[in-house]
């Protein structure tokens, strides 16, 4: 029944666009909803910025609730935003996000409780373990406690591993020791026993870093603390999606009793300044004309390759739809993507399913088509 439904929508949309090329925006109203096409497989999520949460950006007002059934805050739940001073919490934007999600019946993933980046200024240079611990405990208890029973899941700890699978030399590791991750999950579990608890990181499909995640999970589980899943961020290049490693990771995490999510999905079409795949926001590179090959528009040939890459990824994830519980795109459209300014500021990237005026790209249709196979 679903396949028939998807095919009908697909034909209608393609026909509308073919006959009315100058009015493609009207076709948005009859797009097949991603959340419906993959309803029996996994949640389809997106990251929202402040303008979108307030619904002040006219382009995605209808598109977001039409297409997605899960949301993650791009920034407003990070510690620097929500907890700027010792005894000061700013919940206005996070509350708006919760209200937005409730209005459109979307599940919210809280992002993120413990992360070495985007920390409040008052925390960044702390050397005293007691002070860091006080912040650590108060932050988790207060933020998780506020949304207890309303939030679906939390990225409890974010990006705590180096590329070789060892623990990152963060302020938390240096002041609180190796058990800080176990303690973070213990605190979050106590603050909201019903929320799903996840570890989130980039490149953890790669064998060395994956081994670090597995060791971390086993340590948490051995301590009698709950961890429900692993978020693979999915910041990949359109011509180098590591499908084999992703599949191996899904199997490995599943063997530990864990869900897998693809949590921050985007497929960059621009050349990278480094040989390795990076997603550390603290690393940047200088401007170079060659690193911004398509400032005005994405060539159709490149868009088609990107579409095939998205399709290959979704075909794999559908194979494991009992193990993969959510796919979240890191942004609604190309113009919103963080990859326009990272790692080189001012570039024009095209990593998502919708273009800068919220029209579907080849990649959108290629993803829809995977449900027919």
């Amino acid at each position: 029944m679903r396949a028939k439904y998807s095919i009908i929508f697909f034909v209608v949309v393609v026909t509308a666009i073919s006959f009315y090329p100058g009015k493609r925006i009207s076709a948005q109203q009859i797009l097949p909803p991603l959340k419906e096409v993959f309803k029996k497989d996994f949640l389809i999520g997106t990251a929202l910025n402040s303008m979108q949460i307030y619904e002040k950006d006219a382009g995605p007002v209808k598109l977001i609730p039409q297409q997605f059934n899960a949301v993650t805050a791009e920034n407003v739940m990070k510690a620097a935003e929500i907890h700027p001073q010792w005894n000061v919490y700013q919940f206005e934007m996070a509350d708006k996000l919760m209200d937005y999600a409730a209005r459109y019946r979307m599940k919210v993933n809280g992002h993120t409780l413990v992360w070495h980046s985007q920390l409040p200024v008052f925390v960044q240079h702390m050397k005293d373990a007691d002070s860091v611990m006080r912040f650590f405990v108060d932050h988790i208890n207060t933020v998780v406690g506020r949304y207890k029973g309303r939030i679906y899941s939390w990225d409890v700890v974010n990006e705590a591993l180096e590329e070789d699978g060892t623990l990152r030399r963060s302020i938390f590791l240096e002041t609180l020791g190796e058990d800080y991750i176990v303690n973070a999950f213990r605190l979050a579990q106590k603050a909201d026993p019903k929320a799903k608890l996840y570890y989130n990181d980039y490149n953890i499909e790669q064998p060395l870093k994956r081994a670090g995640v597995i060791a971390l999970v086993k340590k948490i589980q051995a301590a009698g603390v709950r961890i429900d899943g692993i978020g693979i961020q999915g910041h990949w290049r359109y011509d180098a999606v590591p499908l084999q490693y992703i599949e191996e990771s899904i199997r490995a995490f599943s063997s530990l009793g864990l869900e897998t999510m693809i949590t921050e999905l985007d497929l960059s079409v621009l050349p990278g300044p480094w040989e390795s795949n990076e997603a550390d926001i603290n690393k940047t590179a200088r401007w170079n004309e060659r690193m911004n090959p398509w400032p005005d528009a994405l060539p159709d040939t490149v868009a088609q390759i990107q579409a095939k890459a998205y399709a290959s990824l979704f075909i794999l994830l559908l194979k494991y739809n009992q193990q993969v519980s959510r796919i979240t795109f890191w942004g609604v459209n190309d113009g919103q993507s963080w990859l326009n300014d990272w790692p080189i500021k001012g570039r024009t990237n095209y990593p998502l399913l919708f273009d800068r005026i919220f029209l579907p790209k080849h990649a959108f249709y290629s993803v829809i088509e995977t449900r027919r196979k």
Side-chain angles (χ1 to χ4, degrees):
M1 190 70 180
R2 176 196 303 279
K4 180 179 178 182
Y5 170 82
S6 300
I7 293 169
I8 291 171
F9 265 107
F10 182 80
V11 171
V12 169
V13 172
V14 171
T15 302
I17 291 173
S18 299
F19 279 91
Y20 301 98
K23 298 182 179 180
R24 289 181 64 205
I25 190 68
S26 63
Q28 190 181 98
Q29 302 303 317
I30 53 173
L31 285 179
L34 290 164
K35 67 180 184 180
E36 292 297 329
V37 173
F38 298 101
K39 186 175 182 178
K40 292 183 180 178
D41 304 304
F42 24 65
L43 294 169
I44 299 291
T46 189
L48 298 185
N49 61 30
S50 299
M51 290 286 287
Q52 292 162 348
I53 294 169
Y54 271 111
E55 299 187 273
K56 291 184 177 181
D57 190 345
V61 165
K62 293 183 179 179
L63 182 68
I64 294 170
Q66 176 202 59
Q67 292 293 324
F68 305 103
N69 51 17
V71 289
T72 299
E74 191 173 32
N75 284 301
V76 303
M77 284 188 168
K78 291 173 180 173
E81 299 282 337
I82 209 168
H83 190 180
Q85 299 178 43
W86 262 116
N87 296 312
V88 176
Y89 286 87
Q90 294 179 343
F91 288 116
E92 179 184 355
M93 283 305 305
D95 287 350
K96 289 285 185 183
L97 173 67
M98 298 301 296
D99 292 342
Y100 177 98
R103 185 161 62 253
Y104 295 115
R105 299 181 181 181
M106 296 173 162
K107 295 184 184 299
V108 179
N109 178 63
H111 179 77
T112 172
L113 294 173
V114 179
W115 188 31
H116 65 278
S117 279
Q118 290 183 249
L119 283 170
V121 174
F122 77 89
V123 179
Q124 292 175 12
H125 303 294
M126 284 182 178
K127 301 295 183 183
D128 176 64
D130 289 341
S131 296
V132 177
M133 179 59 79
R134 177 185 164 194
F135 162 77
F136 185 85
V137 173
D138 182 72
H139 182 80
I140 294 174
N141 285 338
T142 302
V143 177
V144 177
R146 183 177 184 87
Y147 301 113
K148 179 180 179 180
R150 298 174 59 201
I151 206 160
Y152 179 74
S153 59
W154 283 103
D155 291 334
V156 178
V157 179
N158 193 55
E159 300 176 4
L161 296 175
E162 300 286 2
E163 296 306 295
D164 63 359
T166 61
L167 291 176
R168 183 188 292 273
R169 303 302 303 182
S170 68
I171 185 174
F172 300 111
L173 179 64
E174 292 174 352
T175 59
L176 304 182
E178 294 186 359
D179 287 339
Y180 85 89
I181 298 174
V182 174
N183 290 332
F185 277 86
R186 181 181 287 113
L187 286 166
Q189 179 180 344
K190 185 176 180 180
D192 188 350
K194 294 184 178 180
K196 297 272 192 176
L197 307 179
Y198 302 141
Y199 175 76
N200 189 60
D201 210 333
Y202 59 88
N203 284 351
I204 52 175
E205 74 283 350
Q206 298 296 322
L208 281 178
K209 204 166 186 179
R210 184 201 311 150
V213 173
I214 291 170
L216 183 60
V217 168
K218 288 181 177 179
K219 184 175 182 178
I220 294 170
Q221 292 176 332
V225 177
R226 180 165 56 83
I227 177 171
D228 297 297
I230 302 296
I232 302 174
Q233 288 186 9
H235 298 302
W236 297 306
R237 278 184 51 81
Y238 77 117
D239 56 355
V241 181
L243 297 175
Q244 178 182 339
Y245 289 159
I246 295 168
E247 182 168 19
E248 291 172 357
S249 298
I250 294 170
R251 288 179 175 178
F253 300 151
S254 178
S255 71
L256 296 171
L258 302 178
E259 307 167 20
T260 299
M261 287 72 58
I262 307 298
T263 56
E264 303 182 19
L265 181 58
D266 44 35
L267 300 187
S268 173
V269 298
L270 299 185
W274 309 294
E275 291 185 7
S276 61
N277 187 48
E278 286 284 353
D280 186 341
I281 64 169
N282 296 304
K283 294 183 179 180
T284 57
R286 293 182 178 180
W287 171 265
N288 185 319
E289 292 284 351
R290 291 175 299 175
M291 292 291 176
N292 191 40
W294 304 300
D296 300 317
L298 183 66
D300 191 68
T301 53
V302 178
Q304 293 284 5
I305 296 171
Q306 182 191 52
K308 290 179 181 178
Y310 264 116
S312 296
L313 176 61
F314 266 75
I315 288 169
L316 172 63
L317 298 176
L318 282 169
K319 178 180 175 182
Y320 292 97
N321 61 0
Q322 298 303 304
Q323 292 79 32
V324 176
S325 57
R326 172 168 51 92
I327 300 173
T328 293
F329 295 89
W330 205 238
V332 179
N333 77 330
D334 287 340
Q336 177 192 348
S337 174
W338 70 302
L339 294 172
N340 293 299
D341 286 316
W342 186 92
I344 301 172
K345 198 169 183 65
R347 295 200 298 176
T348 306
N349 212 326
Y350 307 84
L352 297 166
L353 301 189
F354 296 93
D355 68 17
R356 279 169 164 73
I357 55 172
F358 300 97
L359 295 179
K361 295 161 56 180
H362 291 307
F364 174 86
Y365 296 113
S366 72
V367 165
I368 294 294
E369 282 287 274
T370 62
R371 201 58 186 83
R372 296 171 60 187
K373 299 183 178 184

